[in-house]
Amino acid sequence: ISGFKDYSGNEMDADATNSFTTLAAATPSDDPTYIFRTLTDSATGVIVSGIIHTQAQLVVGLLTLHNDPACDTIRRAQADGRLICGFDISLSRSFIAPLTVSIPISSKYDGQFVTILHCINGRLEAITVKVANGMARFDVSELSPFAVVRGMYAPKQKVTSPPKTGDSIILTGFLLLVLSVLCSIHLMRRRRAQQNCRISK
C-alpha cells in the first residue's frame, strides 16, 4: 500500500505483500481449493487465518467509513479520542467462515480490553477482546471496515438493519381488509335476522 500511514500517523514504506502459510487441509468438504491458510499483510501486520481459497490474497487498506449509523458510531469513538487504529480488511477470493483476524496495536495495551467496532452493511458489531503480545485477536464471519477503540466501548444505541419499507403498510392493509370482511358478515346476519323477524310477524 503506497503512502500508507499507521494509526500514529507515521508513513510506512513497506510494500503491501502477502506471506502465505499453508497448514493442513481443514475444509469441511472435499474441495481442494479451500485449505487452512494464514495470510499476513507486511505493511500493516494484519493477519487473517482460516479456511480460505488457495488463490485468495489479503487486501488491507485505510479505514473508509460509510454514510450509515454503524460508521457514525465509529466516527463518535474517533471524536472521543478512543480510536486506536482502523483498517479495511478483505480477501480477493472467497472463504469459509469463521476467520480469525489479528490486528497489531501497541504493546502498551497488553492485558487491557479493547473493542473492535465492525461495520457490516450498515449493521454494527462490537467485539471486546483482551490485548496480548500487542495484538487484538478475534473471530468474525465477514470482512469489512474494522476500528479498534480503547476499553469496553458500548455504543449509545443499538444499530440494527434498517426496517424493510412496505412491511407495515402491507400488514395494515391486510388488517383493514379482515376488519371490513367481518363487518360485512355482521351486517348480513343482522339484515337476515330483521327479515326473519318481519316474516314471523
Side-chain angles (χ1 to χ4, degrees):
I1 302 171
S2 177
F4 183 85
K5 292 185 178 180
D6 66 9
Y7 61 86
S8 301
N10 300 320
E11 196 77 22
M12 302 178 73
D13 298 326
D15 292 333
T17 57
N18 297 305
S19 64
F20 302 143
T21 304
T22 302
L23 304 179
T27 173
S29 66
D30 294 329
D31 189 347
T33 58
Y34 291 91
I35 59 174
F36 189 94
R37 305 175 64 198
T38 297
L39 309 181
T40 303
D41 181 67
S42 62
T44 61
V46 170
I47 302 170
V48 174
S49 61
I51 302 172
I52 303 170
H53 194 284
T54 55
Q55 297 179 11
Q57 294 190 10
L58 176 61
V59 181
V60 180
L62 296 173
L63 181 64
T64 303
L65 299 179
H66 310 122
N67 186 20
D68 55 48
C71 286
D72 286 344
T73 302
I74 297 174
R75 288 186 184 93
R76 283 194 294 273
Q78 186 175 16
D80 293 341
R82 301 187 64 157
L83 182 67
I84 298 173
C85 62
F87 300 101
D88 276 4
I89 303 173
S90 62
L91 291 168
S92 62
R93 301 291 291 268
S94 57
F95 60 89
I96 299 174
L99 293 175
T100 299
V101 178
S102 299
I103 297 179
I105 59 177
S106 174
S107 58
K108 70 180 182 180
Y109 293 102
D110 281 357
Q112 299 181 33
F113 285 99
V114 295
T115 302
I116 290 82
L117 298 178
H118 181 202
C119 175
I120 312 171
N121 298 321
R123 178 173 54 85
L124 182 69
E125 180 180 24
I127 307 167
T128 301
V129 297
K130 185 182 283 189
V131 180
N133 300 318
M135 301 289 281
R137 185 174 289 106
F138 52 95
D139 294 334
V140 290
S141 58
E142 297 182 56
L143 294 175
S144 65
F146 294 92
V148 183
V149 299
R150 288 184 291 106
M152 302 176 76
Y153 189 84
K156 293 180 181 178
Q157 60 181 26
K158 187 176 180 181
V159 179
T160 57
S161 300
K164 296 179 181 178
T165 57
D167 286 356
S168 59
I169 296 173
I170 293 171
L171 180 61
T172 303
F174 177 75
L175 291 175
L176 288 174
L177 179 62
V178 170
L179 186 61
S180 64
V181 169
L182 290 175
C183 287
S184 298
I185 293 172
H186 177 70
L187 287 173
M188 287 177 60
R189 287 181 178 173
R190 213 168 149 188
R191 286 177 186 169
R192 284 181 185 172
Q194 288 175 351
Q195 288 176 352
N196 290 339
C197 184
R198 288 174 187 168
I199 292 172
S200 62
K201 288 179 181 179

